[in-house]
Amino acid sequence: MVEWTDFERTTIQDIFSKLDYEVVGPKTLARCLIVYPWTQRYFGNFGNLYNAAAIMGNPMVAKHGITILHSLDRAVKNMDDIRNTYAELSVLHSEKLHVDPSNFNLLADCLTIVVAAHMGKAFTGEMQAAFHKFLAVVVSSLRRQYN
């Protein structure tokens, strides 16, 4: 079980309360698909992903990016039981979708970059450390079916 400090809990909740999911979600997934083009193979039914402009303007990418952020809300609300919170999602991604588990780390890195750009100087080193810990726990929970 992960131990969370009061600062970490408050920081994670504060970060998510300030995010515009309609902006951050699409930017995060688009960044991942552009910077790591091999991740596009999981989104073959999303249509045109041929270049950065197509990805940035793709409504299915935007919608799924928003879905990802809303899914992270579940972890924010269940910080003491993230592993069980994501049990079904882990099975879906590992057994049905066959997603390479390293892609979760890539997406977490892209989210950190987008959040840092969104928050600017307010995203301090201490906040980033708490955010990184949170995302590491989420990624670990999603990867558990692969082990």
Side-chain angles (χ1 to χ4, degrees):
M1 183 171 152
V2 177
E3 298 284 330
W4 299 101
T5 66
D6 290 340
F7 172 79
E8 290 168 336
R9 286 179 189 279
T10 303
T11 297
I12 297 309
Q13 292 167 352
D14 186 52
I15 289 171
F16 278 90
S17 73
K18 293 178 179 175
L19 294 182
D20 181 349
Y21 286 27
E22 306 276 326
V23 174
V24 174
K27 282 185 178 181
T28 298
L29 183 55
R31 176 178 287 273
C32 190
L33 296 172
I34 293 165
V35 175
Y36 309 108
W38 58 90
T39 62
Q40 294 175 20
R41 70 177 167 224
Y42 303 106
F43 301 96
N45 63 335
F46 276 29
N48 184 359
L49 301 176
Y50 299 123
N51 57 44
I55 292 168
M56 295 295 290
N58 187 307
M60 294 180 82
V61 170
K63 182 179 178 187
H64 194 64
I66 294 165
T67 299
I68 291 168
L69 279 191
H70 281 293
S71 177
L72 287 171
D73 276 339
R74 294 173 53 204
V76 173
K77 293 173 183 163
N78 296 288
M79 288 180 70
D80 291 320
D81 197 20
I82 292 174
R83 184 177 180 130
N84 287 324
T85 299
Y86 285 117
E88 286 182 35
L89 199 57
S90 177
V91 170
L92 171 69
H93 282 81
S94 67
E95 295 178 12
K96 183 178 179 192
L97 301 174
H98 306 288
V99 174
D100 181 337
S102 64
N103 291 328
F104 298 127
N105 294 83
L106 301 177
L107 187 63
D109 289 346
C110 289
L111 178 58
T112 302
I113 291 166
V114 173
V115 168
H118 176 74
M119 294 184 69
K121 291 181 182 180
F123 195 60
T124 65
E126 293 82 8
M127 290 179 77
Q128 182 177 349
F131 193 64
H132 178 76
K133 179 179 175 179
F134 171 77
L135 292 177
V137 172
V138 169
V139 166
S140 173
S141 298
L142 287 168
R143 292 177 70 131
R144 81 177 183 160
Q145 288 298 325
Y146 295 88
N147 299 329

